[in-house]
Amino acid sequence: MELERLIRDFLVRSRRDLRAQLEAKYGLDPDEIDEILDRMIHRVYGPALSLAESLMQGHVALFIERDGCPICRAAAPDLERFLEDHPDFSCVRLEYSKPEGLIYHILHQEESGRLPLVALISDGTVMMLETGGTRAFEEYERSEKCEGLCEVRAPGKSGDHRV
């Protein structure tokens, strides 16, 4: 999945849904609605959209969690292991309740979902996306997508080794 397309789809869907709500509830003029929609989306999702734009370059393991969530806490060691084994990935770890945490809704385009959200993003392409666990790390490592992309260090050995 291309991150750029996910952003575009999210904005189209958000504008459509908000437009319908505003027209039904307030009977506003379409020209007025466009301006209001842009302000509303930017106010609520601006930090998440900025973060999404910044993830267009490089290799990133995105981990969105909720403070105090036992499933998120249990998944954290899998994230740490993945990052140790794949030093070419940087980590962006977010609290869902923070403004940037709303990137969850840009990436996971379902009505509802679970935390944590794990996304592996490489140069603007979402290679793996999972909610509610960390199987994405294992699936990614077994996939062809990992070949030639992930540098892996063997435990107890010096230097990097490709897997």
Side-chain angles (χ1 to χ4, degrees), residues 42-53:
H42 180 73
R43 186 176 60 241
V44 173
Y45 288 99
L49 290 165
S50 294
L51 174 62
E53 290 289 330

Side-chain angles (χ1 to χ4, degrees), residues 82-139:
F82 179 84
L83 293 170
E84 285 176 16
D85 291 346
H86 302 277
D88 52 330
F89 275 83
S90 61
C91 180
V92 175
R93 194 167 175 171
L94 300 171
E95 164 64 34
Y96 174 75
S97 64
K98 302 292 183 195
E100 295 83 2
L102 294 180
I103 192 173
Y104 180 101
H105 300 288
I106 295 170
L107 296 173
H108 183 68
Q109 299 193 1
E110 303 292 326
E111 281 294 315
S112 63
R114 299 174 300 164
L115 291 171
L117 177 137
V118 176
L120 300 177
I121 303 168
S122 177
D123 294 325
T125 300
V126 180
M127 309 292 279
M128 289 285 178
L129 177 70
E130 178 185 7
T131 62
T134 55
R135 284 188 332 258
F137 295 131
E138 293 173 23
E139 289 175 19

